[in-house]
Amino acid sequence: MTGAMAQTKLNIVLCGFMGCGKTTVGRPLSALTGRPFVDMDDYIVEQAGRTVPALFEAEGEEGFRRRERQACRELSERTGCIVAAGGGALTFEENVRVVAASGVIVLLDVPPEVPLSRL
């Protein structure tokens, strides 16, 4: 597959600071394009059976980041998805490499007052 056909298989990975609107943008983009939407934090919660705060409490940040790396690998094996990356997921070079190999990363860059007002 080449050209536009190959590009339809790429994931679109939304990244940015927490509260910037990754999920808010991702859901309607999914509906508009017909691509499945996956929120990485929700995916991790589903896999772990615990909320993000409960994971941080039980496993610490390193445990959560380990789960996040695994989620990046697993979600990168999918094709044609809209993925809302966790707020800190793509601050790690390993995760960026894995995600970029299967998709296009889109930074949602908003003024600091936007997430501040939402969080």
Side-chain angles (χ1 to χ4, degrees):
M1 209 177 327
T2 61
M5 289 288 286
Q7 291 178 5
T8 63
K9 295 290 187 179
L10 292 175
N11 293 326
I12 298 171
V13 181
L14 305 175
C15 73
F17 192 74
M18 65 178 162
C20 74
K22 297 177 295 288
T23 299
T24 301
V25 169
R27 285 193 175 121
L29 183 58
S30 169
L32 185 67
T33 62
R35 292 169 173 248
F37 173 73
V38 182
D39 181 292
M40 189 178 290
D41 284 344
D42 291 347
Y43 179 83
I44 292 168
V45 166
E46 183 180 313
Q47 297 299 309
R50 295 182 185 173
T51 65
V52 171
L55 284 169
F56 267 87
E57 185 176 325
E59 301 177 13
E61 182 172 358
E62 182 49 41
F64 178 79
R65 297 301 175 194
R66 186 173 42 254
R67 288 181 181 275
E68 195 172 58
R69 283 190 301 276
Q70 181 66 29
C72 284
R73 288 190 296 271
E74 290 173 6
L75 294 174
S76 292
E77 292 173 3
R78 299 182 183 188
T79 58
C81 295
I82 307 291
V83 178
L90 299 186
T91 61
F92 298 93
E93 188 175 335
E94 174 187 350
N95 293 344
V96 173
R97 277 195 310 270
V98 168
V99 169
S102 69
V104 175
I105 299 171
V106 178
L107 172 64
L108 300 183
D109 188 20
V110 298
E113 51 275 359
V114 172
L116 184 62
S117 71
R118 293 176 180 165
L119 299 176

